[in-house]
């Protein structure tokens, strides 16, 4: 598998505080990588290191196969764009003028492509309206437009939907999916809004106390989070024998609880179990959410 970003035992210390502590992660090319962790876990620090705004205490990382210690890392960084914390836009300028300014900063020879970028993010009709009069969602889209200047194929977004209203969230979600699917842009998205992240991410990295707790693909996570019927019986030993005969997939939790990954005929199941003196005590739909997986990985909601 080809990776856009790889980190190896990356550490960043501020006196006695370990912002990053041996972080190793891998962002596959073409992925929407959800970078998940509570505030202070090290997400923004990692982003700052990758963008060259700070330097690691130890360890290293590779961007498009180029190590951060090599001179050519600057060329690799030209292939990426970033929106860190808040969009870097001038509020007293129009959307078009913001992009022109970014073109000048990047040293691009002309303004070709600006209208295409504005259309791509849905800001082509803003005319002379100043960015200061934009909604939060429009400013976020303008920030992404600025990050798209120079035609990058890797975008880093730090909490891109923080503070947005429902419509703004939908707009950013659809934009990210469009850029990923139609323009082959790889994303690293730092977010704590897990429900929304679960709608777009193809891969996840869970970070806690400066280190990766687990990396997992959305497909693997779906296997963990899939819906099931949680059934309580007087004997799961009896239940398992019957489910094996029927050919249904299941997981035994303990002596009285099991998850069945199908919707069996409960009446028929109850009759068959009764033949072996086993009763059904309760049946309920159950599924693991991304939030519950996150809490489990972090060791509980109060783990600080």
């Amino acid at each position: 598998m080809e990776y856009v970003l790889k980190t190896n035992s990356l550490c960043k210390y501020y006196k006695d505080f370990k912002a990053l502590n041996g972080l190793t992660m891998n962002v596959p090319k073409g992925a929407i990588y959800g970078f998940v962790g509570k505030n202070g876990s090290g997400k923004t620090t990692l982003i700052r290191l990758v963008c060259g705004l700070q330097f690691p205490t130890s360890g290293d990382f590779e961007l498009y196969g180029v190590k951060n210690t090599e001179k050519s890392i600057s060329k690799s960084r030209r292939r990426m764009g970033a929106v860190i914390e808040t969009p870097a836009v001038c509020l007293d300028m129009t959307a078009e003028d913001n992009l022109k300014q970014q073109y000048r900063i990047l040293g691009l020879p002309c303004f070709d492509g600006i209208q295409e970028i504005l259309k791509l993010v849905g800001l082509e009709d803003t005319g002379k309206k100043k960015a200061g009069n934009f909604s939060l969602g429009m400013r976020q889209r303008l920030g992404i437009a600025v990050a798209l200047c120079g035609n990058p194929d890797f975008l880093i977004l730090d909490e891109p939907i923080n503070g947005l209203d429902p419509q703004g969230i939908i707009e950013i979600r659809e934009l990210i999916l469009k850029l990923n699917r139609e323009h082959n842009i790889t994303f690293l998205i730092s977010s704590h809004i897990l429900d929304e992240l679960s709608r777009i991410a193809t891969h996840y990295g869970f970070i806690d106390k400066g280190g990766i707790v687990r990396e997992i693909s959305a497909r693997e996570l779906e296997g963990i989070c899939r819906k099931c019927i949680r059934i309580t019986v007087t004997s799961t030993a009896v239940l398992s024998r019957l489910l094996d005969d029927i050919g249904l997939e299941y997981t035994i939790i303990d002596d009285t609880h099991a998850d069945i990954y199908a919707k069996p005929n409960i009446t028929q199941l109850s009759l068959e179990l009764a033949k072996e003196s086993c009763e059904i005590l309760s049946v309920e739909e159950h599924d693991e959410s991304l939030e519950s997986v996150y809490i489990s990985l972090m060791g509980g909601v109060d783990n600080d």
Side-chain angles (χ1 to χ4, degrees):
M1 183 178 291
E2 186 177 353
Y3 296 99
V4 171
L5 172 66
K6 297 179 67 175
T7 74
N8 178 38
S9 299
L10 204 58
C11 296
K12 179 63 178 178
Y13 302 156
Y14 301 97
K15 294 185 178 179
D16 295 330
F17 176 65
K18 298 179 179 180
L20 293 180
N21 189 24
L23 184 141
T24 297
M25 63 185 289
N26 303 278
V27 179
K29 182 179 180 181
I32 299 177
Y33 188 104
F35 198 28
V36 183
K38 68 185 84 171
N39 291 337
S41 60
K43 301 190 303 296
T44 300
T45 299
L46 181 278
I47 291 172
R48 288 180 171 277
L49 294 185
V50 174
C51 292
L53 300 176
Q54 294 179 353
F55 299 96
T57 304
S58 63
D60 55 49
F61 65 87
E62 294 180 11
L63 193 59
Y64 291 102
V66 178
K67 283 193 174 184
N68 62 293
T69 52
E70 299 178 30
K71 290 183 178 180
S72 55
I73 189 65
S74 59
K75 291 183 179 179
S76 291
R77 286 198 174 104
R78 291 174 192 168
R79 299 179 60 181
M80 61 176 281
V83 180
I84 305 176
E85 296 176 317
T86 57
V89 299
C90 294
L91 299 182
D92 61 346
M93 295 170 60
T94 66
E96 182 177 350
D97 286 341
N98 266 281
L99 267 60
K100 285 181 177 179
Q101 176 171 278
Q102 183 66 9
Y103 266 51
R104 295 187 187 100
I105 291 171
L106 295 174
L108 299 176
C110 63
F111 297 138
D112 290 350
I114 284 181
Q115 292 306 315
E116 286 79 3
I117 294 175
L118 290 174
K119 185 176 181 180
L120 186 60
V121 301
L123 296 176
E124 70 274 24
D125 296 325
T126 53
K128 295 183 179 180
K129 186 176 182 179
K130 301 293 180 64
N133 296 319
F134 286 4
S135 67
L136 287 178
M138 291 172 68
R139 289 185 200 174
Q140 192 63 263
R141 282 185 280 137
L142 178 56
I144 293 174
V146 171
L148 287 170
C149 294
N151 197 31
D153 46 21
F154 179 36
L155 284 185
I156 298 177
L157 306 180
D158 189 11
E159 300 287 357
I161 61 172
N162 204 21
L164 299 187
D165 60 22
Q167 182 59 36
I169 290 173
I170 292 171
E171 290 172 356
I172 295 300
R173 179 207 308 160
E174 292 178 347
L175 176 58
I176 290 170
L177 290 172
K178 182 178 183 179
L179 292 172
N180 177 254
R181 294 170 180 174
E182 299 180 15
H183 297 267
N184 301 314
I185 293 178
T186 302
F187 281 87
L188 171 62
I189 302 176
S190 163
S191 181
H192 67 277
I193 305 177
L194 304 184
D195 179 63
E196 185 58 35
L197 195 59
S198 69
R199 298 172 187 265
I200 59 174
T202 63
H203 295 75
Y204 298 89
F206 296 92
I207 181 175
D208 188 41
K209 298 178 181 177
I212 290 292
V213 177
R214 184 173 182 183
E215 286 188 308
I216 188 172
S217 70
R219 182 173 297 180
E220 291 172 313
L221 187 64
E222 186 177 334
I224 297 173
C225 298
R226 60 182 173 168
K227 291 184 178 181
C228 62
I229 299 295
R230 178 154 292 180
I231 187 168
T232 305
V233 294
T234 53
S235 172
T236 50
V238 174
L239 175 67
S240 63
R241 288 198 300 271
L242 179 57
L243 294 177
D244 285 337
D245 290 340
I246 298 173
L248 295 181
E249 186 181 356
Y250 64 91
T251 298
I252 299 298
I253 299 172
D254 54 36
D255 291 342
T256 58
H257 297 86
D259 288 339
I260 303 175
Y261 301 103
K263 289 190 176 181
N265 184 316
I266 299 300
T267 300
Q268 187 62 38
L269 185 62
S270 180
L271 290 172
E272 293 298 324
L273 288 171
K275 292 177 182 179
E276 299 190 46
S277 302
C278 179
E279 293 183 58
I280 295 178
L281 303 178
S282 67
V283 177
E284 60 182 3
E285 289 192 353
H286 181 80
D287 69 302
E288 289 280 352
S289 65
L290 175 57
E291 182 177 4
S292 62
V293 172
Y294 168 75
I295 291 172
S296 176
L297 287 171
M298 300 305 168
V301 294
D302 295 322
N303 179 41
D304 288 317

